[in-house]
Amino acid sequence: MADKSFVGGIREPRQGLVRVIRRGRSGWGGGRVALERSEVSPKLAPHFGFRLSEAERRGGGHFRGTRGRGGGKMAAPLELRCWGGGWGLPSVHSESLVVLAYAKFSGAPLKVSVIDNTWRGSRGDVPILTSEDNIVSQPAKILNFLRKQKYNADYQLSAKQGADTLAYIALLEEKLLPAVLHTFWIENDNYFTVTKPWFASRIPFPLSLILPGRMSKRALNRILLTKGEPPHYHLKEVEAQIYRDAKECLNLLSNRLGTSQFFFGNTPTTLDAYVFGFVAPLYKVHFPKVQLQEHVKQLSNLCRFCDDILSCYFRISLADG
Amino acid sequence: MSLVAEALVSQVAATEPWPEDATLYQQLKGEQILLSDNASSLAVQAFLQMCELPIKVVCRANAEYMSPSGKVPFIHVGNQVVSELGPIVQFVKAKGHSLSDGLDEVQKAEMKAYMELVNNMLLTAELYLQWCDEATVGEITHSRYGFPYPWPLNHILAYQKQWEVKRKMKAIGWGNKTLDQVLEDVDQCCQALSQRLGTQPYFFNKQPTELDALVFGHLFTILTTQLTSDELSDKVKNYSNLLAFCRRIEQNYFGENGKGHIPLRGKSEGGKPRHK
C-alpha cells in the first residue's frame, strides 16, 4: 500500500510525517487517516488536497500548531552565497547583484551568506542558491528556480513584454557585460588598485593569491573568444570596440527607460534586476580609470534608476555601509 | 574594424553607388556549408533582396579563409570586402539604403535587442548542435567541414574547428549544457520571437527590417535542413506565426520574381533518428 509519508518524495520522515504514520497505523483496517491542516508540511499540502494561502506559501516559516516541535522551519530555507558589498552596494559582483535584486523584487526570503576570508563554504561559480536538496548556480537558472517556487516578479507582464525582457537581457550580455568585465578585471589600473585587493581581502590565504588571477584570466578569455576575432589583432582595438558597444547599449537602455520609474511601469521586474546588476557596479565603484562611469553619470535617468532601487529595496544594507 | 578604418570605409562607401557585379561568397552549397553558416548567408541574402540590391552568390571552398573576419558570408562590392550581417547593414546604410530609417529610437533599441537575442540563442544553439553534439558531429559536421580537403587535412581542420568552438562554448557558459537544455533555450527564443511578431506581417509592422532578414535566415535554415533528428525543427514548427512569416518572406523575396533562390541543402540522407 502506498505509504502517504512518501508521497511528496521526501526521503527522510519529518516530525510532521511521523504523526501521519502513527495515526495511519492506528487507524488501519477501517478508519481513515484524518489529518489536521497544521500537521502537514507545505510541500505535501497540495498532495493532501489542502490549498496554501499566499502568506503560508511565501512565509516559508512557522505554522500555527507546530505543537512544540522546537519551532523548526517547515519550508525549505533559501540560502544564497555571494560576494559582499561595498561603495553602497549590497554586492560588488554583477551576477550576485542581479540575484539579490530579483529576490527583493519578488519577495523571496533569502538568507544571504557573504563570502568572507574564512574557509567556510565554497567560492567558485558564485552566486549559488541552496535550498534543501537543490543547488542552483547561474543567475538565469537561479531566477528560474525562484519563479518555480512562486517568487515571480514578472506576473504582471504581457507576453510581448516577457519577450522584450529576454531580448534586452541578451543585449546586456552581448554588449554591456564585456565592458563590465573589462573595467573590473582587465584594465590594469582598475584591477591592481581596486578589484584584486577587494577580492583578495575576502578570500583566505593562500587562495587569495590564486583566485583573483584566475577570475581575471577567465574574463579575458571570455572577451577574446567572443569579441577578439580578426580584424582585431590587438587588445586595444578590441577594447575600443567593446567600450563603444557598451556606450551604445547604455544609450539604448536610457532611451528605453525614458522617464518611467522602472522598465515596465511601476513595479520592478526581471529586466530591472539585470540592468541594475550590470549598471550599478559601474556607477558606484570608485575606479581610477572611469571612462564608462563618466558615460553612465551622463545618463541621469539610469543613475536615478539605480539610486531608487538602492534606497527602496536595499535600505538596510545602505545603513550598514 | 578599428575606428579609423571603419570611418574610412564609410567615407569611401558613400561616394560610389551599388555596382551591378556585387558578389556574396559562401562555402559550397551542396557539400560543405554547415547549418550556422547557411543561416547567416541566407540572412544576408534576404536583407539585400529586401533592399532591392542585386547580388550574385558565388560558392568557394575557401570562403571562410577569404573573409576578413573569418566568418561567412562576406560581400565583395567595388573594391571593398565586408563580412557578417552587422557590418554589411552599416555598409549598405552608408551607401544610402536602409530598412530601419522609419523606426523611432525605442523601436531601434528593440530591434537591436532582438537581433542580439537571435545571435545569442539561435546561432549559439546551432553551433552547439553542430559541434558539441557527438552524433551530429560524427555523422554530418566532420565530413562536410573537411570535404574539400585531402586526408589527413580534412580531419585535422575539423578537429581544430571543433576545439575552437568548444572553447568558446565553455567561455560563455554553455559548456555544461545538455542538448535538452539547449533545445529548451531554442524553444524559449522562438516563443519570444513568436510573441513579439504576434499577428503582424513583419516585426515592425508593414515594412521588413534587418531583424526580419536575420530571423528568416535562421528559421528557414532550421526548418529546411535535415539533421540527425528533427528535434530542432520541431521546436520551430510549434509556432505557426513563425512558419507563416518564413513562407511570406520566401514568396515575396525569393519566389516569384526569380531573383534569388533558396539554397535548399541536400543534406546527407543518413538521417537516422538519434537513440537516447
Side-chain angles (χ1 to χ4, degrees), chain B residues 133-147:
Chain B
D133 173 43
E134 293 307 325
T136 317
V137 168
E139 275 189 37
I140 300 179
T141 318
H142 257 180
S143 47
R144 284 185 80 91
Y145 189 77
F147 171 79

Side-chain angles (χ1 to χ4, degrees), chain A residues 254-301:
Chain A
S254 178
N255 279 338
R256 176 67 181 79
L257 181 61
T259 51
S260 54
Q261 197 188 3
F262 297 110
F263 277 90
F264 293 115
N266 288 327
T267 45
T269 57
T270 308
L271 180 58
D272 301 286
Y274 268 91
V275 174
F276 177 71
F278 285 123
V279 175
L282 279 179
Y283 173 41
K284 291 280 184 186
V285 178
H286 293 142
F287 285 121
K289 281 273 171 66
V290 286
Q291 58 160 315
L292 208 50
Q293 198 174 64
E294 305 276 301
H295 193 87
V296 173
K297 286 187 178 155
Q298 284 172 5
L299 299 168
S300 56
N301 59 352

Side-chain angles (χ1 to χ4, degrees), chain A residues 9 18 57 64 90 111 140 179 239 254 257 315:
Chain A
V18 170
R57 212 182 319 152
R64 274 174 285 124
K111 179 168 154 305
E239 287 171 10
S254 178
L257 181 61
R315 211 174 300 132

Side-chain angles (χ1 to χ4, degrees), chain B residues 10-19 77-80 91 94-97:
Chain B
S10 300
Q11 195 81 356
V12 174
T15 54
E16 302 164 350
W18 190 268
V77 176
N79 57 359
Q80 272 142 19
F91 179 77
K95 289 228 181 264
H97 307 270

Side-chain angles (χ1 to χ4, degrees), chain A residues 3-243:
Chain A
D3 194 346
K4 275 198 178 156
S5 63
F6 289 100
V7 92
I10 306 221
R11 271 162 275 142
E12 46 196 346
R14 301 221 223 135
Q15 290 179 356
L17 294 172
V18 170
R19 198 174 283 259
V20 170
I21 297 172
R22 251 188 266 135
R23 286 182 65 167
R25 286 206 186 126
S26 66
W28 203 247
R32 273 177 39 198
V33 174
L35 289 174
E36 286 280 20
R37 175 140 177 32
S38 51
E39 291 176 342
V40 180
S41 88
K43 262 201 180 161
L44 295 184
H47 297 282
F48 287 95
F50 296 135
R51 288 243 179 85
L52 290 175
S53 73
E54 190 59 41
E56 279 168 314
R57 212 182 319 152
R58 284 196 169 195
H62 305 269
F63 281 79
R64 274 174 285 124
T66 44
R67 304 215 184 144
R69 248 171 280 181
K73 283 198 174 179
M74 297 300 273
L78 298 168
E79 183 178 323
L80 180 74
R81 190 148 174 76
C82 63
W83 292 107
W87 294 280
L89 294 171
S91 173
V92 157
H93 185 225
S94 284
E95 297 180 343
S96 311
L97 198 54
V98 168
V99 178
L100 286 171
Y102 184 82
K104 290 280 181 189
F105 296 159
S106 62
L110 279 191
K111 179 168 154 305
V112 178
S113 91
V114 167
I115 296 179
D116 55 13
N117 57 3
T118 61
W119 284 96
R120 194 173 46 92
S122 67
R123 239 154 266 100
D125 236 12
V126 161
I128 298 180
L129 182 74
T130 36
S131 76
E132 43 171 54
D133 17 295
N134 294 315
I135 298 182
V136 194
S137 75
Q138 286 161 353
K141 289 187 194 158
I142 295 179
L143 261 54
N144 268 342
F145 180 79
L146 287 175
R147 271 184 219 116
K148 286 200 185 110
Q149 304 284 323
K150 314 271 191 246
Y151 298 118
N152 191 2
D154 296 340
Y155 58 91
Q156 282 176 349
L157 293 183
S158 69
K160 183 178 167 309
Q161 286 173 326
D164 282 350
T165 301
L166 219 55
Y168 276 104
I169 291 176
L171 184 71
L172 282 175
E173 287 188 352
E174 274 296 306
K175 301 281 182 190
L176 192 55
L177 181 61
V180 172
L181 287 178
H182 187 276
T183 308
F184 271 79
W185 294 100
I186 299 174
E187 180 68 60
N188 281 328
D189 285 346
N190 296 346
Y191 175 61
F192 287 110
T193 52
V194 175
T195 318
K196 189 168 175 193
W198 193 92
F199 278 89
S201 67
R202 281 159 178 77
I203 303 174
F205 183 86
L207 264 187
S208 60
L209 297 175
I210 309 172
L211 216 51
R214 200 189 295 174
M215 292 169 81
S216 168
K217 212 171 287 178
R218 211 191 315 164
L220 182 64
N221 217 15
R222 184 183 172 134
I223 292 182
L224 284 181
L225 284 177
T226 50
K227 302 278 172 193
E229 289 130 4
H232 299 299
Y233 289 108
H234 296 292
L235 191 56
K236 287 276 167 237
E237 291 179 12
V238 183
E239 287 171 10
Q241 174 75 31
I242 56 184
Y243 276 108

Side-chain angles (χ1 to χ4, degrees), chain A residues 125 138 141 144 158-160 162-171 173-175 218 221-222 225-226 229-233 237 240-241 244 248 252-253 255-256, chain B residues 1-3 6 68-71 84 105-106 108-110 112-114 116-121 164 167-168 171-173 176-177 181 188-189 191-193 195-196:
Chain A
D125 236 12
Q138 286 161 353
K141 289 187 194 158
N144 268 342
S158 69
K160 183 178 167 309
D164 282 350
T165 301
L166 219 55
Y168 276 104
I169 291 176
L171 184 71
E173 287 188 352
E174 274 296 306
K175 301 281 182 190
R218 211 191 315 164
N221 217 15
R222 184 183 172 134
L225 284 177
T226 50
E229 289 130 4
H232 299 299
Y233 289 108
E237 291 179 12
Q241 174 75 31
R244 213 159 22 123
E248 195 190 315
L252 290 176
L253 288 173
N255 279 338
R256 176 67 181 79
Chain B
M1 280 196 255
S2 72
L3 290 172
E6 213 177 279
S69 74
K71 297 230 173 90
E84 292 187 76
E105 289 300 323
V106 174
K108 278 193 186 152
E110 262 185 49
K112 291 212 166 82
Y114 275 96
E116 286 308 325
L117 178 69
V118 172
N119 278 332
N120 210 355
M121 287 212 166
E164 265 176 43
R167 242 177 93 201
K168 183 171 166 190
I172 59 175
N176 294 330
K177 285 200 179 183
Q181 286 171 335
Q188 228 183 14
C189 180
Q191 192 185 25
L193 289 172
Q195 281 164 352
R196 177 66 181 85

Side-chain angles (χ1 to χ4, degrees), chain B residues 33-222:
Chain B
I33 198 168
L34 293 172
L35 177 60
S36 52
D37 295 332
N38 201 18
S40 310
S41 173
L42 191 56
V44 171
Q45 287 175 46
F47 174 70
L48 291 171
Q49 291 284 357
M50 289 170 183
C51 294
E52 291 170 10
L53 296 171
I55 191 93
K56 196 161 79 79
V57 178
V58 171
C59 297
R60 289 267 189 279
N62 58 345
E64 206 179 352
Y65 300 103
M66 283 202 278
S67 156
S69 74
K71 297 230 173 90
V72 283
F74 66 94
I75 57 174
H76 178 205
V77 176
N79 57 359
Q80 272 142 19
V81 179
V82 190
S83 67
E84 292 187 76
L85 183 65
I88 291 178
V89 169
Q90 283 177 341
F91 179 77
V92 165
K93 192 164 167 187
K95 289 228 181 264
H97 307 270
S98 170
L99 292 178
S100 51
D101 277 342
L103 303 179
D104 63 28
E105 289 300 323
V106 174
Q107 284 175 318
K108 278 193 186 152
E110 262 185 49
M111 183 181 77
K112 291 212 166 82
Y114 275 96
M115 284 175 79
E116 286 308 325
L117 178 69
V118 172
N119 278 332
N120 210 355
M121 287 212 166
L122 277 185
L123 182 61
T124 319
E126 286 166 7
L127 281 174
Y128 181 93
L129 192 63
Q130 272 169 212
W131 292 105
C132 303
D133 173 43
E134 293 307 325
T136 317
V137 168
E139 275 189 37
I140 300 179
T141 318
H142 257 180
S143 47
R144 284 185 80 91
Y145 189 77
F147 171 79
Y149 308 110
W151 188 90
L153 196 57
N154 53 355
H155 288 304
I156 296 176
L157 288 178
Y159 277 118
Q160 189 183 49
K161 179 82 178 176
Q162 187 182 11
W163 180 74
E164 265 176 43
V165 173
K166 279 192 168 162
R167 242 177 93 201
K168 183 171 166 190
M169 291 289 151
K170 207 165 142 203
I172 59 175
W174 281 55
N176 294 330
K177 285 200 179 183
T178 62
L179 186 63
D180 289 328
Q181 286 171 335
V182 169
L183 289 173
E184 228 181 85
D185 283 343
V186 170
D187 190 43
Q188 228 183 14
C189 180
C190 291
Q191 192 185 25
L193 289 172
S194 171
Q195 281 164 352
R196 177 66 181 85
L197 183 62
T199 49
Q200 299 169 331
Y202 300 110
F203 277 95
F204 290 99
N205 212 5
K206 298 287 186 342
Q207 297 298 327
T209 56
E210 44 263 35
L211 174 62
D212 301 277
L214 183 64
V215 172
F216 170 72
H218 282 275
L219 292 184
F220 194 85
T221 314
I222 290 177

